[in-house]
Amino acid sequence: MKEQIEALRQRFESELQAAQNSDAVEKLRVAYLGKKGSVTDLLKGLKAVAGDQKKEMGQLINQLKHQVEEGIAQQVEAIRAAEEERLIASAEQYDVTLPVDQSEGSYHPITLVQRQLEEIFSSMGFTIEDYKEIVTDYECFEAVNIPKHHPARDMQDTYYLSNGQLLKTHTSAAQNAIMRKYGAPLRAVFPGRCFRNESTDACHENTFFQMEGLMIDKDISISNLIYFMKTMLSEVFERDITVRLRPGFFPFVEPGFELDISCLICGGEGCPSCKNSGWLELCPCGMIHPNVLKMGGIDPEEYTGFAFGLGLTRLAMMKYGIKDIRDLNSGNLKALSQFKHE
Ligand code: DAH
């Protein structure tokens, strides 16, 4: 029996060498230590061994069993380690000695203009308000004096949700909520993303940004409106800006105006950028309609105010000389990352 044990040991050693993956090692384990395995068979065969040799043979078989268990455990571990090595070697290699890329990210041109305006308006005592992009028909239209079937709605087609809500067409949609939140007196600006169902070209986008402003107090007049607009625009363009008002119709203001600035390119002489008029249309505005104040819970007998809807997208294009509005939503970093905070 001794020879049998020795032969099995040698066979095991050579088979273990050959078992180079976990499946093969498992097969080996079953073949030696399983219910019908060779080592188990040897143990069963002990019964037939003569009494005086039983002890010695028993010890030898147990030694072999122990050796097989050890050998299998070591082989399992060796295969696992080799697999780990292989994964590490095949993983992406990094050259840790490369210099760090120190190029900085940049803000979107609209963010830059928005932040600059927020700073200017806060310095003039205005609060900055945030508002939803999905609003009700009431907020977007009725509360700003555009009842159902009013022709002014034709100019502001938008995207409607199945629950009847819509993507706001202008930041004026927040006027009512802000008046209700703070009451009068009130000074607030509220930038926001707006949407219109439009076909796009170099000057039209279905998604753009505005900044709305409200100033409501006792005895607010058109002179206050002109003063604030002129001061704000001179700061934005970092030079003294001449403004003029032309009549303009918006249902939520009375009187309503288009505010123009003298052309920054030709200084008012007339050039292709201003269609030879010397003026650029920049900011619609007006004195808040009494109906709008009333719907906002403010007494129009006691308070008056002005409102404006500055086209942030337009302003960013003018400030940075961006010719195609579609570049702004393009996500094209080559075009968008060239603007930095001055
Ligand atoms: N909401 C208008 C639009 O998007 C712009 C506007 C005009 C806003 C006059 C105002 C305003 O606050 O007084 O076309």
Side-chain angles (χ1 to χ4, degrees), residues 246-278:
R246 284 180 294 121
F249 173 71
F250 304 96
F252 30 92
V253 280
E254 181 58 39
F257 306 106
E258 292 286 358
L259 183 137
D260 298 338
I261 61 172
S262 62
C263 179
L264 298 167
I265 296 175
C266 61
E269 302 276 302
C271 71
S273 297
C274 58
K275 295 188 195 122
N276 283 315
S277 70

Side-chain angles (χ1 to χ4, degrees), residues 67-130:
Q67 210 178 344
V68 170
E69 284 169 349
E70 282 272 278
I72 285 179
Q74 277 172 11
Q75 189 73 343
V76 166
E77 175 55 27
I79 290 171
R80 196 199 57 73
E83 176 67 2
E84 198 173 277
E85 286 279 285
R86 197 186 60 73
L87 282 177
I88 292 172
S90 67
E92 216 173 314
Q93 299 283 319
Y94 294 102
D95 182 352
V96 290
T97 62
L98 275 179
V100 178
D101 178 1
Q102 289 184 327
S103 58
E104 285 178 9
S106 63
Y107 285 110
H108 193 281
I110 292 184
T111 306
L112 290 176
V113 172
Q114 178 182 326
R115 291 197 174 177
Q116 193 192 5
L117 283 167
E118 287 176 358
E119 259 171 47
I120 298 169
F121 278 108
S122 334
S123 76
M124 299 194 291
F126 284 71
T127 61
I128 319 287
E129 305 294 329
D130 197 13

Side-chain angles (χ1 to χ4, degrees), residues 9-178:
R9 183 194 320 279
Q10 281 176 12
R11 205 180 84 209
F12 172 72
E13 267 165 14
S14 73
E15 284 184 0
L16 188 65
Q17 286 289 318
Q20 286 303 328
N21 61 55
S22 43
D23 276 356
V25 177
E26 175 59 14
K27 271 192 194 135
L28 208 59
R29 192 189 65 75
V30 174
Y32 282 80
L33 304 172
K35 259 189 199 157
K36 292 178 185 157
S38 326
V39 177
T40 322
D41 278 350
L42 275 182
L43 280 169
K44 282 181 197 159
L46 256 188
K47 271 183 255 163
V49 173
D52 56 340
Q53 289 186 13
K54 231 182 203 158
K55 194 175 170 205
E56 193 195 346
M57 289 307 128
Q59 277 175 349
L60 284 177
I61 298 173
N62 268 331
Q63 251 176 26
L64 175 63
K65 189 180 173 205
H66 197 66
Q67 210 178 344
V68 170
E69 284 169 349
E70 282 272 278
I72 285 179
Q74 277 172 11
Q75 189 73 343
V76 166
E77 175 55 27
I79 290 171
R80 196 199 57 73
E83 176 67 2
E84 198 173 277
E85 286 279 285
R86 197 186 60 73
L87 282 177
I88 292 172
S90 67
E92 216 173 314
Q93 299 283 319
Y94 294 102
D95 182 352
V96 290
T97 62
L98 275 179
V100 178
D101 178 1
Q102 289 184 327
S103 58
E104 285 178 9
S106 63
Y107 285 110
H108 193 281
I110 292 184
T111 306
L112 290 176
V113 172
Q114 178 182 326
R115 291 197 174 177
Q116 193 192 5
L117 283 167
E118 287 176 358
E119 259 171 47
I120 298 169
F121 278 108
S122 334
S123 76
M124 299 194 291
F126 284 71
T127 61
I128 319 287
E129 305 294 329
D130 197 13
Y131 204 66
K132 304 174 276 192
E133 289 175 355
I134 297 175
V135 297
T136 59
D137 183 276
Y138 177 80
E139 291 171 290
C140 200
F141 301 120
E142 303 219 10
V144 286
N145 212 23
I146 310 178
K148 290 212 162 47
H149 313 299
H150 191 289
R153 288 197 180 209
D154 289 351
M155 323 239 301
Q156 301 199 1
D157 188 18
T158 183
Y159 304 95
Y160 287 84
L161 278 69
S162 49
N163 65 6
Q165 292 192 312
L166 48 102
L167 299 189
K168 74 173 176 221
T169 59
H170 53 180
T171 39
S172 311
Q175 282 196 10
N176 187 264
I178 287 167

